[in-house]
Amino acid sequence: MWLEILSEILKLTVFAGLALAGALAILIWKRDLKTKVSYLRFFVQAAAMAALFLLFSYTNELLYVLIVIILLTLFLGRLFCGWLCPLGLYLDLMAVFRKALKIRYWNLPDKLNKLLNKLRYLLLAFFVALPFVLEKIEPWQWSLAKFLMGPFKPVSVLLGPVEPLIIPWESRLKFYGLNLSYPYASVIAFYSGESFALANMFLFIALTLASSFVVRRFWCRFCPTGVSFAVLNRFRGFRWIPLLRLNKVEEKCPKCGICKRVCPVQVLDVYERKGGDIAPSMCMLCLRCVEMCPYEECLKLNMAGRTLFKSRNWLEPSKIE
Amino acid sequence: MEKGFGEKKYMVELSEREVEDLRNSVKATSLKLMDEYIERMKKTWPNRPKIMEYFDEVAKFFGTREKEILKAKEEGRKVIGYTCMFAPIELILAADAIPVRVSSGIYDTTKLGNRIVPVEVCPVVRSTIGVGMIGFSPHLEVSDALITPLTCDGMAKLSEILSDRKPVWTVCPPRLKDSEQSMRFWREELQSVKAKIEKLTGTKITAKKLKTAIETMHRATRAFRRLQELRRGAPVIMGRDAMLVNQTSAWDDIERWTKKTEELCSELEKRRQEKILACAPDTPRIMIAGSPALWPDNWKLPNLIEEANPQGVIVADEFCSGDRFLFDPVGVDEWTMDDMFNAVAERYLLPSTCPCFTSEDGNVDRVNWLKARIEERRVDGVVYHVFRGCMLYAMEYTRIKKALDKINVPVYYLDTDYTREDVGQIKTRVEAFLEMLKSRVEF
Ligand code: SF4
Ligand code: SF4
Ligand code: SF4
Ligand code: SF4
């Protein structure tokens, strides 16, 4: 009984938190801090996590959640990765810690980064194809197949990064009666068997966090979920669909190189390509490059022809003040 | 002591008397000339804001600014000169040294330079050599060391020749800027300069100091950009005055310069609202591109344009001593030493549109830069200014001309030397060009 009340209270708090975050986000936008997008993004990420928690409390059908995200991605590109993904938030928080400790990140060599980018497609294909293959060979008679089949259903794999910190169902990680989770935690627990579940979960958590402490958004460089979104928008037949586009005006860009250096996933295209619709499938629309580009209206985020956000002379305070 | 420094590899022997005489005569003309040019600027812009007097004062060589620098030197501060805008000012400031630009715009000393290098060499180089020979330039003389970027052939040899008189620290910008290995090389170059700056000043460049220096330069860039913004719409400032403000940033105390420039901009913004213009709104809007025109003597061309009949107003210039000088901010992602240093290195190499760069696609950044400025400042015509002997700017002209023809902007090629003799001849040609623009504007 008291647990239910607690959970209701929790949901209400989350609602209130969401509203608060929204208000704060608007305030920040108005105050126009130099790095406003970066701050705003943290709020949206936190709010998204709360929203996901609410979503999961009212539905158990993960498939619907996936469909919503896919639709969102179809039209908005990988905005999900930059602004909504809970795992993305944890990885970004690691970068904040790192900055606080004044330690510099490592860049992956561009070649390796590109390789990982390609590897994403392979990983995705593997996870999507697996169940169909295994169905044919009577999985429950073959232990290897069983273990592959069990946890790695495409839905649970693709929704891995989406698991919020607190989940409304039973989990292995408990804290004062709250069910905690971490991206892929349930998948890992399932696959590890009783005795190793916890150890493996912590190992995974430690690995993902530590790696992105060193390399910005390391997981995202090969995350199968991220690439599934990318696939949607980047296949030729689908290219007209996305409403959100990152645009560059060739003449306004003297190639100062800032966009290349500040991109958390080391996207080169924004710097290298001449102009027009420039974001590659690796770009998660975090807008860090747009925010840091010092040339007015050189980079723009366009939505169906309208400019939502554009680069500007960030040395000047905004005109709103 | 530095290698090679002090050894007379190039310098000719001059007797002390000769030096003294030359100094005096050059100084007399220069002082007269600076006063005259400032007077002429005042005349062209009748309601010139009072605050401009500050910049006039700084612009006068052998004046208050030189005394100030000398006093700072007595107090133990070091002065680091540089010949070209590839020198990392942030690193100099972070070591609490004073950065000054030493390349010379004085005509009379070119003749002296001719004794060492042939007349075919770029006059900036010859003049700077001449200035070095007689210890004339206030900025070269006060420098404890020079940062000499090896950009064009002239600059490379100038560095050698100046090493007869001052310790020179060469930095070599790669010809191709757009590759990882170039960037790595350039970072190494700046690392070694950083070490040398630290050794000379005895100040370690810490993360905190570098951050302060970057922020100081951010404020300067902000003021600098604000001034260039003001040259966009109907003219509220004459081009020469804007150019003077731009150039003084290369030797003034940068924080005070920032403050004064912001004051000037506030004044100009007020005028913009009250529609107090510096000249008629239909005055042809000119951009000068090409070889840098340096204060004081090289005010020849700006003078001609803004005093011509019909008058033109310079709304943009492409000089590394002018519009390009402080335009780019250092874009720091994370305030760690490494990232700050990389950001500084990138800022000096990548956005530079100096013609010493090339790529498989040519110097396309420069073409884009020009086109963007032409569009935003609504330029009516471009005067392409080339010093005789300046190969790089001369050779790129054809490409620029073609690109500008495409967007239907007239270009006028003007080659000149460090001499006052061609003024009359240039005047007729510039006026004809302005006449043509004027009729286009009216049309
Ligand atoms: S790539 Fe994967 S982990 Fe990264 S933000 Fe996107 S979905 Fe989340
Ligand atoms: S930050 Fe802007 S100006 Fe600089 S290279 Fe990128 S797009 Fe071009
Ligand atoms: S390219 Fe720009 S918007 Fe895309 S991920 Fe990189 S910084 Fe973010
Ligand atoms: S044109 Fe280039 S090389 Fe010459 S002084 Fe300017 S920046 Fe230096």
Side-chain angles (χ1 to χ4, degrees):
Chain A
M1 183 59 205
W2 64 270
L3 239 163
E4 274 166 38
I5 298 172
L6 192 74
S7 96
E8 281 311 310
I9 292 175
L10 191 70
K11 280 179 210 165
L12 282 177
T13 336
V14 170
F15 265 124
L18 261 176
L20 204 71
L24 263 171
I26 293 170
L27 268 180
I28 285 189
W29 190 267
K30 281 255 153 93
R31 273 288 313 278
D32 196 66
L33 295 160
K34 190 159 86 189
T35 45
K36 66 178 175 183
V37 171
S38 302
Y39 286 108
L40 190 70
R41 217 157 56 86
F42 277 115
F43 281 105
V44 176
Q45 281 172 323
M49 187 143 86
L52 280 167
F53 166 76
L54 288 177
L55 200 66
F56 283 135
S57 353
Y58 292 112
T59 170
N60 264 332
E61 294 293 322
L62 294 184
L63 197 61
Y64 292 134
V65 179
L66 190 65
I67 289 173
V68 170
I69 295 177
I70 286 179
L71 279 177
L72 206 73
T73 304
L74 202 56
F75 290 106
L76 299 181
R78 274 183 72 191
L79 195 75
F80 175 83
C81 291
W83 292 74
L84 307 173
C85 173
L87 181 51
L89 173 63
Y90 307 150
L91 304 186
D92 283 345
L93 285 175
M94 289 319 285
V96 172
F97 285 139
R98 183 176 48 67
K99 274 187 225 174
L101 296 175
K102 298 220 181 299
I103 300 172
R104 178 155 162 83
Y105 52 79
W106 284 358
N107 270 336
L108 294 182
D110 287 339
K111 281 214 184 83
L112 178 61
N113 201 37
K114 280 199 183 123
L115 192 78
L116 284 178
N117 275 238
K118 295 223 175 72
L119 201 73
R120 300 182 301 167
Y121 294 95
L122 221 86
L123 271 176
L124 177 72
F126 179 69
F127 288 128
V128 172
L130 207 58
F132 296 106
V133 178
L134 292 185
E135 219 173 341
K136 300 257 151 53
I137 48 166
E138 302 279 328
W140 46 87
Q141 292 182 353
W142 189 19
S143 61
L144 178 74
K146 188 174 166 192
F147 115 11
L148 283 173
M149 173 72 183
F152 290 122
K153 288 199 193 81
V155 172
S156 51
V157 167
L158 292 183
L159 275 180
V162 175
E163 284 183 40
L165 195 58
I166 305 169
I167 48 170
W169 62 80
E170 270 302 295
S171 81
R172 293 293 180 112
L173 300 167
K174 279 210 167 56
F175 186 74
Y176 287 105
L178 288 176
N179 291 308
L180 298 188
S181 184
Y182 182 82
Y184 297 108
S186 48
V187 177
I188 288 169
F190 187 97
Y191 138 93
S192 307
E194 273 315 306
S195 38
F196 288 107
L198 267 182
N200 279 343
M201 265 149 80
F202 280 118
L203 187 68
F204 179 76
I205 294 177
L207 271 180
T208 47
L209 292 185
S211 63
S212 52
F213 186 87
V214 183
V215 176
R216 294 167 297 173
R217 285 257 187 164
F218 185 64
W219 178 266
C220 299
R221 317 261 175 125
F222 50 82
C223 168
T225 313
V227 77
S228 70
F229 299 165
V231 164
L232 284 172
N233 287 162
R234 290 299 143 187
F235 271 141
R236 221 148 260 157
F238 290 106
R239 285 203 76 143
W240 53 274
I241 299 179
L243 294 167
L244 276 184
R245 280 156 201 274
L246 207 57
N247 243 285
K248 173 162 138 182
V249 181
E250 186 196 348
E251 259 138 52
K252 299 200 168 163
C253 165
K255 293 237 162 179
C256 73
I258 291 180
C259 52
K260 182 164 82 172
R261 186 159 36 83
V262 301
C263 175
V265 282
Q266 286 177 254
V267 163
L268 302 176
D269 302 51
V270 174
Y271 170 73
E272 277 168 4
R273 287 175 64 178
K274 284 206 150 168
D277 185 7
I278 39 164
S281 68
M282 194 59 216
C283 168
M284 48 188 198
L285 291 176
C286 72
L287 302 185
R288 178 75 175 147
C289 55
V290 185
E291 153 188 80
M292 287 298 286
C293 170
Y295 280 80
E296 225 169 282
E297 298 188 13
C298 175
L299 291 179
K300 285 180 197 157
L301 178 72
N302 284 349
M303 181 164 186
R306 276 189 51 220
T307 301
L308 297 185
F309 182 61
K310 59 192 176 201
S311 59
R312 60 187 219 294
N313 173 8
W314 43 257
L315 295 161
E316 286 288 344
S318 99
K319 308 247 154 53
I320 306 169
E321 274 180 328
Chain B
M1 248 323 113
E2 304 278 326
K3 265 185 287 168
F5 160 61
E7 182 199 335
K8 294 265 180 294
K9 301 181 290 295
Y10 283 91
M11 289 290 173
V12 286
E13 293 296 337
L14 294 170
S15 72
E16 256 174 49
R17 239 202 93 88
E18 212 178 338
V19 171
E20 201 50 41
D21 285 349
L22 282 165
R23 272 183 70 110
N24 287 341
S25 77
V26 178
K27 193 166 174 175
T29 4
S30 287
L31 286 178
K32 208 173 94 236
L33 207 86
M34 282 187 277
D35 284 337
E36 185 201 318
Y37 284 176
I38 288 168
E39 278 315 309
R40 281 165 73 176
M41 280 156 70
K42 281 183 185 157
K43 227 173 95 199
T44 326
W45 189 10
N47 51 2
R48 197 165 185 257
K50 204 159 163 26
I51 179 88
M52 279 304 297
E53 274 163 30
Y54 166 77
F55 297 101
D56 297 343
E57 188 57 41
V58 178
K60 280 183 197 158
F61 291 172
F62 313 105
T64 41
R65 180 58 186 154
E66 193 196 11
K67 290 201 190 78
E68 211 175 65
I69 295 180
L70 287 175
K71 188 151 161 282
K73 274 189 76 151
E74 260 166 41
E75 283 160 10
R77 282 182 77 184
K78 298 287 180 195
V79 181
I80 296 176
Y82 54 93
T83 49
C84 147
M85 71 173 277
F86 283 96
I89 297 177
E90 280 81 358
L91 296 183
I92 302 177
L93 288 178
D96 201 29
I98 303 171
V100 289
R101 185 167 178 149
V102 302
S103 31
S104 152
I106 294 168
Y107 282 179
D108 294 332
T109 48
T110 39
K111 288 192 204 80
L112 283 167
N114 293 349
R115 296 198 203 170
I116 292 180
V117 292
V119 284
E120 284 81 18
V121 172
C122 150
V124 182
V125 172
R126 282 184 287 137
S127 169
T128 312
I129 293 172
V131 151
M133 283 161 78
I134 54 169
F136 177 71
S137 149
H139 304 142
L140 187 62
E141 275 323 288
V142 294
S143 301
D144 293 295
L146 302 175
I147 298 180
T148 53
L150 310 180
T151 48
C152 51
D153 294 353
M155 285 291 179
K157 292 298 139 182
L158 175 66
S159 157
E160 278 179 34
I161 297 168
L162 287 180
S163 74
D164 282 6
R165 297 235 26 242
K166 296 273 170 186
V168 292
W169 303 334
T170 51
V171 283
C172 186
R175 277 275 149 111
L176 297 164
K177 55 181 174 176
D178 204 3
S179 73
E180 192 39 48
Q181 62 268 36
S182 299
M183 206 54 230
R184 219 176 306 132
F185 174 73
W186 178 241
R187 273 198 292 262
E188 298 278 313
E189 289 287 288
L190 289 197
Q191 280 292 4
S192 73
V193 161
K194 177 170 161 249
K196 286 173 186 159
I197 296 175
E198 284 175 337
K199 192 160 157 245
L200 176 80
T201 57
T203 314
K204 182 145 173 41
I205 298 178
T206 56
K208 208 167 138 218
K209 285 197 172 120
L210 188 54
K211 184 173 182 207
T212 318
I214 290 175
E215 284 168 345
T216 306
M217 288 312 285
H218 273 174
R219 284 191 291 276
T221 297
R222 180 178 155 187
F224 186 89
R225 282 185 162 208
R226 197 172 158 204
L227 181 66
Q228 315 314 322
E229 292 285 295
L230 278 159
R231 295 166 80 186
R232 277 192 185 189
V236 287
I237 180 166
M238 292 308 289
R240 266 182 299 174
D241 297 83
M243 287 167 79
L244 189 75
V245 177
N246 290 350
Q247 295 215 4
T248 46
S249 66
W251 60 84
D252 196 5
D253 174 69
I254 198 69
E255 284 178 54
R256 193 178 55 205
W257 179 90
T258 308
K259 209 171 121 259
K260 295 291 177 184
T261 308
E262 294 278 10
E263 274 172 42
L264 172 67
C265 291
S266 303
E267 167 70 26
L268 293 177
E269 264 156 27
K270 218 169 82 218
R271 288 180 175 207
R272 158 141 300 158
Q273 272 168 9
E274 292 162 9
K275 299 219 165 30
I276 305 174
L277 299 185
C279 59
D282 62 345
T283 315
R285 302 165 67 84
I286 307 291
M287 170 195 238
I288 322 183
S291 314
L294 297 164
W295 176 258
D297 264 314
N298 231 316
W299 241 227
K300 178 166 73 178
L301 178 63
N303 273 342
L304 277 175
I305 293 174
E306 301 209 323
E307 286 171 6
N309 179 28
Q311 191 189 24
V313 54
I314 302 164
V315 291
D317 63 64
E318 191 228 355
F319 300 155
C320 47
S321 58
D323 272 23
R324 268 174 45 208
F325 184 47
L326 292 179
F327 199 83
D328 287 285
V330 173
V332 182
D333 186 23
E334 301 180 0
W335 295 93
T336 57
M337 189 62 190
D338 291 302
D339 193 54
M340 276 190 277
F341 188 82
N342 285 353
V344 169
E346 278 184 14
R347 181 247 178 259
Y348 283 93
L349 186 70
L350 294 180
S352 171
T353 56
C354 175
C356 67
F357 292 117
T358 183
S359 74
E360 277 134 34
D361 204 8
N363 199 357
V364 64
D365 294 350
R366 178 162 180 239
V367 182
N368 284 338
W369 195 94
L370 284 171
K371 283 208 255 181
R373 293 296 127 355
I374 287 174
E375 195 197 301
E376 73 180 29
R377 311 257 173 98
R378 302 209 319 273
V379 169
D380 294 316
V382 176
V383 175
Y384 197 96
H385 168 247
V386 174
F387 288 134
R388 251 166 241 148
C390 181
M391 274 302 140
L392 295 171
Y393 278 113
M395 286 176 81
E396 270 191 8
Y397 171 68
T398 316
R399 175 169 191 178
I400 303 287
K401 164 98 174 121
K402 277 192 142 175
L404 297 191
D405 277 350
K406 266 201 200 117
I407 54 170
N408 201 15
V409 174
V411 199
Y412 173 63
Y413 184 89
L414 185 105
D415 59 338
T416 164
D417 204 338
Y418 268 24
T419 160
R420 299 188 193 95
E421 274 143 33
D422 55 0
V423 172
Q425 184 207 355
I426 296 177
K427 187 167 187 243
T428 4
R429 285 155 62 189
V430 166
E431 285 189 346
F433 183 64
L434 288 169
E435 195 73 60
M436 189 270 285
L437 289 180
K438 182 100 183 157
S439 58
R440 272 172 68 110
V441 171
E442 273 159 14
F443 180 72

